[in-house]
Short mmCIF file of all heavy atoms in Angstrom, two decimals:
data_model
loop_
_atom_site.label_atom_id
_atom_site.label_comp_id
_atom_site.label_asym_id
_atom_site.label_seq_id
_atom_site.Cartn_x
_atom_site.Cartn_y
_atom_site.Cartn_z
N THR A 31 -17.95 -6.94 10.25
CA THR A 31 -18.24 -7.92 11.30
C THR A 31 -18.70 -9.27 10.75
O THR A 31 -18.80 -10.24 11.51
CB THR A 31 -19.38 -7.39 12.20
OG1 THR A 31 -20.52 -7.16 11.37
CG2 THR A 31 -18.97 -6.11 12.92
N GLY A 32 -19.05 -9.31 9.49
CA GLY A 32 -19.61 -10.54 8.92
C GLY A 32 -21.11 -10.68 9.17
O GLY A 32 -21.72 -11.67 8.77
N GLU A 33 -21.70 -9.67 9.79
CA GLU A 33 -23.14 -9.72 10.09
C GLU A 33 -23.98 -9.68 8.80
O GLU A 33 -23.68 -8.91 7.88
CB GLU A 33 -23.47 -8.49 10.96
CG GLU A 33 -24.93 -8.28 11.27
CD GLU A 33 -25.20 -6.87 11.85
OE1 GLU A 33 -24.24 -6.18 12.27
OE2 GLU A 33 -26.37 -6.47 11.84
N VAL A 34 -25.02 -10.53 8.77
CA VAL A 34 -25.95 -10.47 7.64
C VAL A 34 -26.89 -9.30 7.90
O VAL A 34 -27.59 -9.26 8.91
CB VAL A 34 -26.76 -11.79 7.50
CG1 VAL A 34 -27.80 -11.67 6.39
CG2 VAL A 34 -25.79 -12.95 7.22
N ILE A 35 -26.90 -8.31 6.99
CA ILE A 35 -27.71 -7.11 7.23
C ILE A 35 -28.96 -7.06 6.35
O ILE A 35 -29.85 -6.26 6.58
CB ILE A 35 -26.89 -5.82 7.05
CG1 ILE A 35 -26.19 -5.80 5.69
CG2 ILE A 35 -25.89 -5.65 8.20
CD1 ILE A 35 -25.56 -4.46 5.34
N ALA A 36 -29.03 -7.92 5.33
CA ALA A 36 -30.24 -7.98 4.50
C ALA A 36 -30.24 -9.31 3.76
O ALA A 36 -29.17 -9.88 3.48
CB ALA A 36 -30.28 -6.83 3.51
N LYS A 37 -31.44 -9.78 3.47
CA LYS A 37 -31.59 -11.01 2.68
C LYS A 37 -32.37 -10.65 1.42
O LYS A 37 -33.44 -10.04 1.52
CB LYS A 37 -32.34 -12.07 3.50
CG LYS A 37 -31.47 -12.67 4.61
CD LYS A 37 -32.16 -13.87 5.26
CE LYS A 37 -31.20 -14.64 6.13
NZ LYS A 37 -30.16 -15.37 5.37
N LEU A 38 -31.83 -11.03 0.28
CA LEU A 38 -32.42 -10.59 -0.99
C LEU A 38 -32.51 -11.76 -1.96
O LEU A 38 -31.97 -12.84 -1.70
CB LEU A 38 -31.53 -9.50 -1.60
CG LEU A 38 -31.36 -8.26 -0.71
CD1 LEU A 38 -29.96 -7.72 -0.84
CD2 LEU A 38 -32.36 -7.20 -1.06
N HIS A 39 -33.15 -11.49 -3.09
CA HIS A 39 -33.23 -12.48 -4.17
C HIS A 39 -32.71 -11.86 -5.46
O HIS A 39 -33.03 -10.71 -5.76
CB HIS A 39 -34.68 -12.94 -4.39
CG HIS A 39 -35.22 -13.73 -3.24
ND1 HIS A 39 -35.88 -13.15 -2.20
CD2 HIS A 39 -35.17 -15.05 -2.98
CE1 HIS A 39 -36.22 -14.08 -1.32
NE2 HIS A 39 -35.80 -15.25 -1.77
N ALA A 40 -31.96 -12.65 -6.19
CA ALA A 40 -31.52 -12.19 -7.52
C ALA A 40 -32.74 -12.15 -8.45
O ALA A 40 -33.72 -12.87 -8.24
CB ALA A 40 -30.47 -13.14 -8.08
N ALA A 41 -32.64 -11.31 -9.46
CA ALA A 41 -33.76 -11.17 -10.39
C ALA A 41 -33.95 -12.44 -11.21
O ALA A 41 -32.97 -13.03 -11.68
CB ALA A 41 -33.52 -10.00 -11.33
N THR A 42 -35.18 -12.84 -11.36
CA THR A 42 -35.52 -13.91 -12.29
C THR A 42 -35.67 -13.29 -13.68
O THR A 42 -35.79 -12.06 -13.80
CB THR A 42 -36.88 -14.53 -11.90
OG1 THR A 42 -37.83 -13.44 -11.82
CG2 THR A 42 -36.82 -15.23 -10.55
N PRO A 43 -35.72 -14.12 -14.73
CA PRO A 43 -35.98 -13.54 -16.06
C PRO A 43 -37.28 -12.73 -16.09
O PRO A 43 -37.36 -11.71 -16.79
CB PRO A 43 -36.07 -14.78 -16.96
CG PRO A 43 -35.18 -15.79 -16.27
CD PRO A 43 -35.37 -15.55 -14.80
N ALA A 44 -38.27 -13.13 -15.29
CA ALA A 44 -39.53 -12.38 -15.26
C ALA A 44 -39.33 -10.97 -14.69
O ALA A 44 -39.92 -9.99 -15.17
CB ALA A 44 -40.58 -13.14 -14.43
N ILE A 45 -38.47 -10.87 -13.68
CA ILE A 45 -38.18 -9.54 -13.09
C ILE A 45 -37.43 -8.66 -14.10
O ILE A 45 -37.71 -7.47 -14.25
CB ILE A 45 -37.38 -9.71 -11.77
CG1 ILE A 45 -38.29 -10.21 -10.65
CG2 ILE A 45 -36.66 -8.44 -11.37
CD1 ILE A 45 -39.25 -9.18 -10.08
N VAL A 46 -36.47 -9.26 -14.81
CA VAL A 46 -35.74 -8.51 -15.83
C VAL A 46 -36.73 -7.97 -16.87
O VAL A 46 -36.68 -6.78 -17.25
CB VAL A 46 -34.68 -9.41 -16.52
CG1 VAL A 46 -34.04 -8.71 -17.71
CG2 VAL A 46 -33.60 -9.83 -15.51
N GLU A 47 -37.61 -8.84 -17.28
CA GLU A 47 -38.62 -8.46 -18.28
C GLU A 47 -39.49 -7.31 -17.77
O GLU A 47 -39.74 -6.33 -18.48
CB GLU A 47 -39.49 -9.70 -18.57
CG GLU A 47 -40.14 -9.71 -19.92
CD GLU A 47 -39.17 -9.47 -21.07
OE1 GLU A 47 -38.15 -10.17 -21.19
OE2 GLU A 47 -39.44 -8.54 -21.83
N GLN A 48 -39.91 -7.45 -16.51
CA GLN A 48 -40.77 -6.42 -15.90
C GLN A 48 -40.05 -5.07 -15.85
O GLN A 48 -40.64 -4.02 -16.14
CB GLN A 48 -41.09 -6.89 -14.48
CG GLN A 48 -42.40 -6.40 -13.91
CD GLN A 48 -42.61 -6.95 -12.49
OE1 GLN A 48 -42.32 -8.12 -12.22
NE2 GLN A 48 -43.10 -6.13 -11.59
N ALA A 49 -38.79 -5.09 -15.49
CA ALA A 49 -38.03 -3.83 -15.35
C ALA A 49 -37.82 -3.17 -16.71
O ALA A 49 -38.01 -1.96 -16.86
CB ALA A 49 -36.69 -4.12 -14.68
N VAL A 50 -37.43 -3.96 -17.70
CA VAL A 50 -37.17 -3.38 -19.03
C VAL A 50 -38.49 -2.87 -19.63
O VAL A 50 -38.54 -1.79 -20.23
CB VAL A 50 -36.48 -4.40 -19.97
CG1 VAL A 50 -36.35 -3.84 -21.38
CG2 VAL A 50 -35.11 -4.79 -19.42
N ALA A 51 -39.57 -3.63 -19.40
CA ALA A 51 -40.88 -3.20 -19.94
C ALA A 51 -41.32 -1.89 -19.29
O ALA A 51 -41.84 -0.99 -19.97
CB ALA A 51 -41.92 -4.30 -19.71
#
Side-chain angles (χ1 to χ4, degrees):
T31 59
E33 174 194 345
V34 176
I35 53 170
K37 287 189 168 290
L38 301 143
H39 292 91
T42 54
I45 286 286
V46 172
E47 205 52 54
Q48 207 179 319
V50 174

